[in-house]
Amino acid sequence: MGWAIALHGGAGDIPRDLPPELRELRESCLHRCLGIAIDALNSHKSPLDVVELVVRELENDPHFNAGKGSVLTNNGAVEMEACIMDGSTKNCGAVSGLTTVVNAVSLARLVMEKTPHIYLAFEGAEAFAREQGVETVDSSHFITPQNIERLKQAKVANSVQVDYTQPIPIVDEPPVSNGDSQIGTVGCVAVDSSGNLAAATSTGGLVNKMVGRIGDTPLVGAGTYANKFCAVSCTGKGEEIIRATVARDVAALMEYKGLTLKEATDYVIKESTPKGTTGLIAVSSTGEVVTPFNTTGMFRACATQDGKTQIGIW
């Protein structure tokens, strides 16, 4: 048994003809973040510290749907959310409705460690952020030209769009480069050589979502979960992930039916959620790592202490 790490940059209908410059930007970020995680685990940082560190890096990259790259609500604003969970204690923290906090995952950890609660949202979460002195910026910091365009596309289509939804042409306007504003939720799971586990997930949610909508990411047991058996971070269509309590189901299948991590995640991805809706990353207390999905693709990376590494999309 040794440490293991996995991270994701979202699952969805990722086009196989995604322009190389866009694919390479995301792959480069995943590669860099994987290196940061490996160094941290080799330096004996706790899994909780590692997943927070990695998700912060992903939040700061505008090419993913979290933090700087968060997609926009139907009124053109950001409402970011995140969750973090420690497997050994099952302590956890979550936040929603953030508009000024640079790193939602770190605020979620502060909720876990500095309050008697698990979940803070909207004005209360923003007030707590100011009390704790976390980094905040004007909300315009998060509104990128790419995501303004993506919201425009969603409004023309009269739809709420999940990660990597393909753009539609707008009459009498120049086409958007394929994939230029298609970005995904981020997450990380880790286990150390002693079997301690942690998970974290962060997202901007759905393009053109209603103001106040909350997805699976901050819901413990849906989009994020960790206990003594495994750590799981999900990505995809939040409503389907919530209905299936995906992350907790993986853990329950291991705990109550004695399934391996691969058996449990394969069952949940194939049987519990509709095709085209869900991806996840997971590690077990014994150092297994899996990255299954039922979408076209999922930006992902993983590594184990024995030197195996992988970065993939399709």
Side-chain angles (χ1 to χ4, degrees), residues 72-266:
L72 306 180
T73 66
N74 60 5
N75 72 350
V78 294
E79 288 183 357
M80 300 170 287
E81 50 195 28
C83 183
I84 191 167
M85 188 165 185
D86 176 54
S88 59
T89 63
K90 290 201 274 193
N91 289 335
C92 48
V95 289
S96 282
L98 301 181
T99 59
T100 70
V101 176
V102 172
N103 293 112
V105 69
S106 292
L107 188 63
R109 184 167 181 179
L110 286 170
V111 171
M112 177 181 78
E113 295 180 340
K114 303 292 186 181
T115 81
H117 308 304
I118 289 174
Y119 197 159
L120 292 179
F122 297 93
E123 293 86 354
E126 288 281 340
F128 178 66
R130 293 191 293 272
E131 290 171 9
Q132 294 297 312
V134 303
E135 185 179 3
T136 58
V137 293
D138 187 85
S139 59
S140 62
H141 166 82
F142 303 101
I143 300 175
T144 66
Q146 291 85 0
N147 281 331
I148 292 172
E149 181 63 38
R150 192 171 182 203
L151 177 61
K152 186 177 180 179
Q153 291 273 345
K155 285 183 177 292
V156 168
N158 193 30
S159 68
V160 177
Q161 297 181 346
V162 299
D163 293 343
Y164 302 106
T165 297
Q166 296 303 294
I168 63 169
I170 300 177
V171 177
D172 298 328
E173 291 196 15
V176 180
S177 297
N178 191 16
D180 192 40
S181 63
Q182 296 151 17
I183 51 181
T185 293
V186 304
C188 183
V189 293
V191 60
D192 65 16
S193 55
S194 298
N196 299 305
L197 293 143
T201 316
S202 183
T203 189
L206 301 177
V207 184
N208 200 30
K209 66 182 179 181
M210 293 176 65
V211 172
R213 179 262 185 185
I214 292 170
D216 67 288
T217 289
L219 300 184
V220 175
T224 311
Y225 191 75
N227 65 3
K228 65 181 181 180
F229 293 92
C230 64
V232 184
S233 173
C234 300
T235 172
K237 188 172 181 181
E239 282 71 13
E240 297 295 348
I241 293 168
I242 292 168
R243 289 186 184 102
T245 57
V246 168
R248 173 57 188 157
D249 265 21
V250 171
L253 286 167
M254 295 182 71
E255 182 173 0
Y256 301 129
K257 295 201 73 173
L259 301 189
T260 66
L261 181 67
K262 185 178 187 309
E263 290 170 340
T265 55
D266 282 351

